[in-house]
Amino acid sequence: MPFQKKTYHKRHYAAFLTGIYMGYSQLNNDFGFAGSDAADLKASRSWEIGIGITKSHFQLDNEGHWSFTTGLDWGYRSFRLQGNYAFRMNNNITNIEAGTDSYVYAVSRLRYNFLRLPIMLNWKTRIGRNLYISAGLEPEWRYSIKSKAKVNGRDETIDSDLNVNPIGLNMVAEARYGNIGFYGRCGMTKLFESNKGPKMYPSSFGIIWHW
């Protein structure tokens, strides 16, 4: 039939090593990208990198416009402080503390590894190539949490754990044309445990390459 709509019979599939993304990270007073009063970050050195380990795709309609995806990402995230400061724990409370003339911090950052489980609703159309708009939620497990810096010129791990919430929840959105897309990620839960650290919500934005 010359005008019959194309139908999609492949309603579910799974893929492995699905893509890589890299972007800038920041800390915020609340949900969003407004920045933090408590932390002065060096934006060009605060970043994340992640790789899609696996993804499952579930088609929701016969025309191929709507789908649901979930998967597992692994990666690394770092927040670099400006100046002579470091994330430190004192009396089981995490703060950003200044160094001294005899105890100087440089290249100071809070870093951790993560596993993420993005749960996304996707809309697709075709304009030359496939155009995708996606949004959803993303639980995040944080581990290997460390405050690191050069102290008087020597690399040191200053503290570990730092009362960072091991489980977080993000809101994620992505726009993709072909294999290349741009994403934004906003933390919906605080980075540090309540009353054990500054009130901060992590966020990030960057570029993603699917293959």
Side-chain angles (χ1 to χ4, degrees):
M1 299 292 291
F3 299 105
Q4 186 176 8
K5 284 188 177 181
K6 183 178 180 181
T7 59
Y8 288 72
H9 300 289
K10 192 174 183 180
R11 305 197 65 85
H12 168 258
Y13 65 84
F16 299 92
L17 296 178
T18 59
I20 189 169
Y21 56 88
M22 186 172 184
Y24 293 106
S25 294
Q26 68 179 55
L27 296 169
N28 310 281
N29 293 328
D30 214 326
F31 176 83
F33 293 93
S36 170
D37 296 330
D40 185 13
L41 296 184
K42 189 169 186 177
S44 63
R45 293 292 185 269
S46 299
W47 53 276
E48 69 173 12
I49 185 168
I51 186 167
I53 298 173
T54 182
K55 179 184 287 185
S56 293
H57 177 103
F58 304 88
Q59 196 66 44
L60 299 178
D61 65 349
N62 290 329
E63 288 72 37
H65 293 303
W66 293 96
S67 64
F68 166 82
T69 57
T70 186
L72 182 67
D73 297 351
W74 173 87
Y76 169 89
R77 203 178 209 183
S78 178
F79 303 96
R80 173 84 72 87
L81 291 173
Q82 294 268 23
N84 186 15
Y85 293 89
F87 286 91
R88 299 212 63 151
M89 283 183 65
N90 280 314
N91 299 318
N92 202 34
I93 303 295
T94 301
N95 285 300
I96 298 172
E97 298 186 0
T100 64
D101 291 339
S102 59
Y103 201 79
V104 179
Y105 300 117
V107 197
S108 177
R109 68 267 187 206
L110 173 67
R111 48 87 65 212
Y112 60 80
N113 291 95
F114 60 76
L115 287 171
R116 291 172 174 161
L117 184 70
I119 303 166
M120 308 287 284
L121 179 66
N122 314 285
W123 177 79
K124 181 182 78 172
T125 191
R126 190 167 181 85
I127 307 175
R129 297 181 179 182
N130 287 331
L131 171 68
Y132 297 85
I133 306 294
S134 306
L137 299 177
E138 179 185 72
E140 174 180 282
W141 175 49
R142 304 163 182 143
Y143 68 98
S144 191
I145 302 159
K146 293 181 174 63
S147 173
K148 299 178 73 71
K150 286 185 180 292
V151 181
N152 297 334
R154 296 185 303 176
D155 289 321
E156 290 191 19
T157 297
I158 297 167
D159 275 309
S160 299
D161 179 50
L162 294 120
N163 299 314
V164 169
N165 277 313
I167 302 295
L169 181 66
N170 306 316
M171 181 176 288
V172 188
E174 180 189 345
R176 170 163 61 111
Y177 185 66
N179 292 333
I180 302 297
F182 296 92
Y183 72 89
R185 170 177 288 107
C186 292
M188 301 177 68
T189 54
K190 290 183 288 187
L191 181 62
F192 296 100
E193 296 176 24
S194 295
N195 303 316
K196 291 187 176 181
K199 182 184 176 184
M200 293 178 176
Y201 293 76
S203 64
S204 54
F205 60 92
I207 190 168
I208 183 167
W209 176 33
H210 296 265
W211 56 64

